[in-house]
């Protein structure tokens, strides 16, 4: 691959598919190192026109964050950081021709904006992320909102506000149950969403909704098949989060597998039924189905691309994968890198250095994952987490204001990588002004 790059008279073409946390950071880093100096042509492909950091989706859903205020424009970033942006959804690959195929793009009226495209590459990086996995549960796609995109989060928020307005206009009849929001999935997304919703309901009621009492009119329920919340994280963190949520009167059902979702509610394998006005599915992940049939590339049971420690796919050294869509082995060789934002960030950093080395005729770097711990935000109530790696041997449990500041810094660090220190500083002051000027939550 390196020899072919050196023999070519035109700049090496690096095409990145997916502008999430890892893909966008990689495009920016390579744009600065290679695109600026015309050493390579960097192309980023994404189905959306703007970037929103995925860990913020629960705040968009609850209305505590206006997605439009935090979005970054791909076209503007491409201009500033010396890469090209192409809008569209990848749906095919031809490895022999070294081309990816992007489906046509249409407007809201069904009129074509962009035709089907073929985009060439010399090196391809797939960073298409993941989506919610409903495990084939009957009714899940029809009656639950899959919280894996800004559009889905906005749709949930609209339904939540509408439910509160209905409760304000029509008092509950005697014996009538509360409006119930059921969150399927006790991972970080489900847990953080539940706390944000509790806070949102209290804030909404303060805006003149005299007939809406969040304690009496709204019920929040979390359902998870695992024995405890946050199963992938340390048990001490799980216990602390569970205690905090129960203090907010959030109902928790663990060891309960959902077998059916209907317009009336959620049914579990144990026979329990939770009447629900709004259902969110935030349990499990998988990669989009088109990846499992991607011109012979090897995938696992959740459609992740099998990669080596260099992040090269197992069957094609000119194709790399990173982030949630990649199954990269850890150093023990038994498990794979967890699908988390910090993983994508670390992989983008390593791969940016590797691809520069490749064009210089040097060997690729092997990716080494470093677990820096986990933080779970419970809105204004608390932030709880464990820190690992550079802080101490083993882990250090933290909560309260220190944890809140560290959670805030994770987002700011991503902004700095993508948008630079000065622009992030300006946007932080803008956020502070808007926090004072605007309502505490989005009310429309």
């Amino acid at each position: 691959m390196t020899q072919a790059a050196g023999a070519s008279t035109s700049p090496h073409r690096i095409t990145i598919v997916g502008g999430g946390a890892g893909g966008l950071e990689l495009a920016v880093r390579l744009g600065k190192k290679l695109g600026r100096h015309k050493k390579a042509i960097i192309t980023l492909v994404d189905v959306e026109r703007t970037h929103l950091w995925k860990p913020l989706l629960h705040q968009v859903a609850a209305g505590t964050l206006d997605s439009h205020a935090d979005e970054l424009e791909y076209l503007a970033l491409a201009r500033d950081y010396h890469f090209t942006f192409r809008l569209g959804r990848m749906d095919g690959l031809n490895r022999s021709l070294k081309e990816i195929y992007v489906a046509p793009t249409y407007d809201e009226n069904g009129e074509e904006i962009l035709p089907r495209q073929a985009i060439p590459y010399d090196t391809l990086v797939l960073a298409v992320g993941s989506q919610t996995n409903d495990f084939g549960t009957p009714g899940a796609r029809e009656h639950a909102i899959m919280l894996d995109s800004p559009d889905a989060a906005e749709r949930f928020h609209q339904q939540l506000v509408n439910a509160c307005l209905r409760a304000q206009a029509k008092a509950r009849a005697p014996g009538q149950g509360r409006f119930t929001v059921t969150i399927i999935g006790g991972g970080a997304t489900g847990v953080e969403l539940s706390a944000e919703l509790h806070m949102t309901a209290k804030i909404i009621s303060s805006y003149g909704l005299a007939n809406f009492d969040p304690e009496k009119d709204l019920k929040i329920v979390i359902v998870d098949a695992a024995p405890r919340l946050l199963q992938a994280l340390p048990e001490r963190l799980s216990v602390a989060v569970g205690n905090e949520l129960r203090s907010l009167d959030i109902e928790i059902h663990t060891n309960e597998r959902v077998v059916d979702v209907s317009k009336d509610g959620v049914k579990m394998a144990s026979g329990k039924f939770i009447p629900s006005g709004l259902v969110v599915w935030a349990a499990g992940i998988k990669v989009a189905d088109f990846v499992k049939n991607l011109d012979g590339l090897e995938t696992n049971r959740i459609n992740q691309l099998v990669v080596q420690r260099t992040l090269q796919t197992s069957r094609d050294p000119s194709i790399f994968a990173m982030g949630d869509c990649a199954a990269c082995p850890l150093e023990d060789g038994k498990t794979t890198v967890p699908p988390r934002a910090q993983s994508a960030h670390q992989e983008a950093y390593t791969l940016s250095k590797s691809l520069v080395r490749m064009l210089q005729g040097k060997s690729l770097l092997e990716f080494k994952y470093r677990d820096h711990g986990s933080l779970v935000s419970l809105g204004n109530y608390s932030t709880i987490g464990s820190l690992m790696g550079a802080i101490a041997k083993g882990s250090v449990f933290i909560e309260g204001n220190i944890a809140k500041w560290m959670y805030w810094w994770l987002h700011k660090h991503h902004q700095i990588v993508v948008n630079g220190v000065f622009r992030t500083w300006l946007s932080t002051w803008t956020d502070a002004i808007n926090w004072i000027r605007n309502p505490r939550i989005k009310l429309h």
Side-chain angles (χ1 to χ4, degrees):
M1 180 170 59
T2 306
Q3 290 176 352
S8 175
T9 56
S10 60
H12 192 83
R13 298 168 299 186
I14 301 176
T15 298
I16 304 163
V17 182
L24 180 57
E25 287 191 17
L26 179 62
V28 169
R29 290 183 185 277
L30 291 179
K32 291 177 179 177
K33 294 179 179 179
L34 300 174
R36 172 183 294 176
H37 306 293
K38 311 298 182 185
K39 294 180 179 179
I41 298 172
I42 315 299
T43 301
L44 176 66
V45 181
D46 197 272
V47 68
E48 303 289 347
R49 304 180 194 213
T50 58
H51 166 80
L52 180 71
W53 199 47
K54 198 170 182 179
L56 298 177
L57 285 180
H58 71 280
Q59 294 185 26
V60 177
T64 51
L65 175 72
D66 185 348
S67 63
H68 300 297
D70 207 81
E71 288 173 329
L72 299 173
E73 300 278 353
Y74 286 124
L75 282 171
L77 291 170
R79 179 199 63 188
D80 294 342
Y81 296 112
H82 315 285
F83 64 89
T84 301
F85 174 67
R86 301 284 286 272
L87 176 67
R89 183 186 300 277
M90 177 183 174
D91 65 358
L93 166 69
N94 188 318
R95 290 197 284 144
S96 61
L97 295 179
K98 288 202 166 185
E99 290 180 342
I100 66 165
Y101 303 108
V102 178
T105 303
Y106 300 93
D107 65 15
E108 62 275 8
N109 298 318
E111 295 186 13
E112 186 176 87
I113 302 173
L114 296 171
R116 186 170 183 78
Q117 305 171 66
I119 301 175
Y121 69 87
D122 295 308
T123 296
L124 176 63
V125 180
L126 296 172
V128 295
S130 62
Q131 60 188 37
T132 304
N133 190 351
D134 64 11
F135 306 103
T137 305
R141 290 285 163 184
E142 294 81 7
H143 303 293
I145 293 176
M146 306 291 161
L147 198 62
D148 51 17
S149 69
D151 286 343
E154 291 281 3
R155 187 165 69 255
F156 173 87
H157 178 66
Q158 289 290 334
Q159 294 187 26
L160 176 68
V161 171
N162 290 342
C164 294
L165 292 175
R166 289 192 193 99
Q168 158 69 12
K170 186 178 180 180
R172 277 193 304 152
Q176 182 181 0
R178 293 183 289 174
F179 180 85
T180 300
V181 178
T182 299
I183 302 168
I184 302 172
T189 299
V191 163
E192 292 180 330
L193 176 61
S194 67
E196 291 283 343
L197 288 179
H198 188 276
M199 183 175 67
T200 294
K202 292 179 66 175
I203 297 172
I204 287 179
S205 67
S206 71
Y207 285 99
L209 303 187
N211 294 332
F212 173 67
D213 185 334
E215 302 296 336
K216 297 178 180 179
D217 295 325
L218 180 66
K219 180 180 179 181
I220 302 170
V221 179
I222 300 177
V223 179
D224 196 88
R228 59 179 173 87
L229 298 178
L230 304 169
Q231 180 67 23
L233 303 183
E235 186 173 358
R236 185 181 178 189
L237 193 155
S238 172
V239 171
V241 167
N243 291 338
E244 187 73 32
L245 294 182
R246 289 185 181 93
S247 73
L248 300 177
D249 197 30
I250 293 172
E251 195 172 295
I252 299 171
H253 297 266
T254 53
N255 271 323
E256 293 285 0
R257 182 172 59 88
V258 174
V259 295
D260 185 74
V261 182
S262 67
K263 62 182 180 65
D264 298 316
V266 174
K267 182 180 179 181
M268 292 171 271
S270 65
K272 288 182 182 178
F273 182 79
I274 302 176
S276 309
L278 196 52
V279 179
V280 183
W281 194 287
I285 67 159
K286 70 172 186 176
V287 182
D289 288 337
F290 87 92
V291 174
K292 68 182 177 183
N293 299 311
L294 209 53
D295 200 15
L297 294 179
E298 183 183 4
T299 56
N300 63 11
R301 60 181 179 81
I302 59 171
N303 303 336
Q304 287 178 311
L305 291 155
V306 177
V307 300
Q308 303 170 17
R309 296 282 302 283
T310 57
L311 300 177
Q312 291 169 296
T313 53
S314 59
R315 295 176 181 168
D316 194 327
S318 66
I319 300 178
F320 297 73
M322 57 174 288
D324 288 6
C325 75
C328 178
L330 289 170
E331 291 182 60
D332 61 11
K334 300 176 182 177
T335 54
T336 58
V337 175
R340 298 160 66 181
Q342 64 171 298
S343 305
H345 166 72
Q346 292 177 36
E347 287 172 339
Y349 176 75
T350 297
L351 196 50
S352 67
K353 294 173 68 176
S354 258
L355 294 182
V356 171
R357 287 172 59 89
M358 181 189 75
L359 295 187
Q360 294 171 344
K362 299 178 182 178
S363 61
L364 295 170
L365 300 173
E366 288 194 346
F367 175 66
K368 296 180 180 180
Y369 174 66
R370 296 290 179 262
D371 188 350
H372 297 305
S374 305
L375 291 170
V376 178
S377 171
L378 304 181
N380 283 353
Y381 301 114
S382 182
T383 298
I384 298 170
S386 61
L387 301 181
M388 300 176 67
I391 302 298
K393 295 180 179 179
S395 65
V396 176
F397 186 81
I398 60 170
E399 59 184 322
N401 288 332
I402 293 176
K404 282 186 178 182
W405 278 105
M406 296 200 72
Y407 190 92
W408 174 84
W409 170 247
L410 289 177
H411 180 211
K412 290 300 165 185
H413 184 258
H414 172 66
Q415 289 183 325
I416 288 171
V417 172
V418 171
N419 228 6
V421 174
F422 180 68
R423 290 183 181 181
T424 301
W425 179 80
L426 286 178
S427 69
T428 302
W429 278 107
T430 301
D431 292 343
I433 293 169
N434 286 335
W435 189 86
I436 298 171
R437 182 175 64 90
N438 296 333
R440 290 279 307 282
I441 62 169
K442 188 179 177 184
L443 296 169
H444 63 281

